[in-house]
Amino acid sequence: MSIPPDGGQLRRLLLREVSRVMRKVAEATESAVRPFGRRASAGADSLGEADRGFHHTSDGGGDPRAAGPWPDGQIPGHPGNDPRRPFRMVTWNIAGGRRSLSWDAFDYDDMDLQYFAERLRRLQPDVINVQESEIGGSGSTARKLAELLGYPHVFETGTCPSHLGDPTKTLSLAVLSRLPMEGARAQRLPTTRLDLKVGGNSVEPYDRYAQRVTVGGVDVVNLHPTPLGFFGHSYEEGDGAAHAAEIGSAVNELIDGPTVIAADLNTDRPALVYGRMFEDMGMDSALDTDARTVPGWDGAPDQIYSSREFRTVGSGVVATGTDHHLVWADLEITDARTLDTLAAARETGA
């Protein structure tokens, strides 16, 4: 939504109202969008075919914080120190570094970056893409997380006002890397022309971005499109599908060589929405088709794709007490020149 630069008070009041309405809409529609055995609420039928984005709820029951962080079969092996080892990539929507208090939408605990750092530290990825980090008066969530992990290189892009509790903060995308980054670039994604509504009121779409950085000869792309499902639309059909095609074209412009895309695509069936487009770009999904990346939800918005210079040798979804699980992939580099470049960067740290 468009807020005048000098309308700080109005902006805060409006964002609070949007946050309040969003909570009510999410509670009313949670089971109609993708039923998992919970009876749909009466007012949610119109969203029954929408893909679900934004923050996702579950009927899983119990306390999500009790979720075991390393279920059997999901613990990847230590990547080792061989400079020619596979490229380990992670993507995680971190909700500002907050765990979930319950399966209800927008029900978060206080920030707990140690929780996130512990799980990422065990994986020791080369690069981490995060969505829904925050920038605010207390600094950058992504940069604090990078400091805890000892990752010296961070590229962060602010996107829109945060819905996570403090409307004075800005949501961001960020790439965290052990190795130096080159050619860091943020590209604004096409703005949807769909009528986005919250509580029956039309709202202006926020800007959304894709990031690209080059790490050891590998281009890494991070993005987090508009959650059309929350606003009563779907990326799977009609104008929503046309908007997905526009996003795909924008991503295609960022692909120029060995590339890994790691993102929250904000649709529960990215293979249906983006599969053909990514195939045309020479990109393959690292996750199994039955992977689920949001607790209790029949969907996998969080995905890792890689170009023809890679072969997936391992991937998985690590269950966490958060509203998006952690997604990882080990990508063996099959292109000799790319492998040499990455190995040299690992050996020299540059």
Side-chain angles (χ1 to χ4, degrees), residues 55-58 63-69 91-104 107-110 112 115-116 119 293-296 302 317-327:
H55 281 276
H56 319 296
T57 58
S58 166
D63 186 347
R65 294 171 298 175
T91 185
W92 200 358
N93 181 321
I94 63 172
R98 298 168 176 84
R99 298 168 68 185
S100 298
L101 284 170
S102 72
W103 296 122
D104 294 332
D107 190 14
Y108 298 112
D109 204 343
D110 295 333
D112 182 7
Y115 177 86
F116 292 82
R119 279 134 190 87
T293 69
V294 176
D302 311 279
V317 179
V318 178
T320 55
T322 58
D323 68 351
H324 284 251
H325 293 319
L326 183 159
V327 175

Side-chain angles (χ1 to χ4, degrees), residues 3-164:
I3 303 297
D6 59 349
Q9 183 177 8
L10 174 61
R11 175 178 178 275
R12 289 190 291 274
L13 291 173
L14 192 54
L15 287 170
R16 290 194 190 102
E17 176 61 16
V18 168
S19 179
R20 182 187 68 80
V21 173
M22 285 179 355
R23 288 175 185 267
K24 290 184 176 295
V25 172
E27 291 168 0
T29 63
E30 62 176 15
S31 50
V33 179
R34 283 284 178 260
F36 344 109
R38 195 174 191 177
R39 187 176 60 189
S41 59
D45 292 341
S46 63
L47 297 184
E49 296 303 318
D51 61 284
R52 204 164 150 198
F54 218 66
H55 281 276
H56 319 296
T57 58
S58 166
D59 64 343
D63 186 347
R65 294 171 298 175
W70 302 105
D72 291 343
Q74 291 191 350
I75 307 175
H78 190 285
N81 297 317
D82 181 354
R84 306 179 77 82
R85 65 187 180 274
F87 187 78
R88 178 163 288 181
M89 186 76 222
V90 159
T91 185
W92 200 358
N93 181 321
I94 63 172
R98 298 168 176 84
R99 298 168 68 185
S100 298
L101 284 170
S102 72
W103 296 122
D104 294 332
F106 311 106
D107 190 14
Y108 298 112
D109 204 343
D110 295 333
M111 184 186 296
D112 182 7
L113 289 182
Q114 289 288 352
Y115 177 86
F116 292 82
E118 178 184 353
R119 279 134 190 87
L120 290 166
R121 191 177 294 117
R122 296 180 189 180
L123 283 166
Q124 297 192 24
D126 290 288
V127 177
I128 304 163
N129 281 4
V130 299
Q131 304 84 36
E132 293 195 3
S133 180
E134 286 183 306
I135 306 169
S138 60
S140 160
T141 304
R143 293 184 182 278
K144 291 177 181 177
L145 181 59
E147 290 176 2
L148 289 173
L149 293 168
Y151 281 49
H153 308 285
V154 179
F155 176 52
E156 186 166 27
T157 303
T159 59
C160 62
S162 178
H163 60 279
L164 298 172

Side-chain angles (χ1 to χ4, degrees), residues 281-300:
M281 299 176 205
M283 309 294 293
D284 292 322
S285 174
L287 292 186
D288 294 335
T289 56
D290 61 350
R292 297 294 178 261
T293 69
V294 176
W297 177 35
D298 185 21

Side-chain angles (χ1 to χ4, degrees), residues 232-295:
H233 301 284
S234 173
Y235 278 111
E236 297 178 12
E237 59 186 7
D239 291 340
H243 182 50
E246 294 174 335
I247 293 172
S249 295
V251 172
N252 191 31
E253 293 178 7
L254 298 173
I255 296 177
D256 183 22
T259 302
V260 177
I261 299 173
D264 174 1
L265 294 172
N266 252 333
T267 175
D268 62 342
R269 295 192 286 182
L272 176 64
V273 174
Y274 294 104
R276 181 62 61 85
M277 285 181 274
F278 284 167
E279 286 177 8
D280 290 344
M281 299 176 205
M283 309 294 293
D284 292 322
S285 174
L287 292 186
D288 294 335
T289 56
D290 61 350
R292 297 294 178 261
T293 69
V294 176

Side-chain angles (χ1 to χ4, degrees), residues 316-341:
V317 179
V318 178
T320 55
T322 58
D323 68 351
H324 284 251
H325 293 319
L326 183 159
V327 175
W328 65 274
D330 281 344
L331 305 170
E332 182 179 79
I333 300 174
T334 59
D335 178 72
R337 179 176 297 180
T338 304
L339 181 56
D340 289 344
T341 300

Side-chain angles (χ1 to χ4, degrees), residues 306-321:
S306 60
S307 60
R308 294 185 178 93
E309 293 84 0
F310 301 88
R311 182 173 67 90
T312 302
V313 294
S315 66
V317 179
V318 178
T320 55

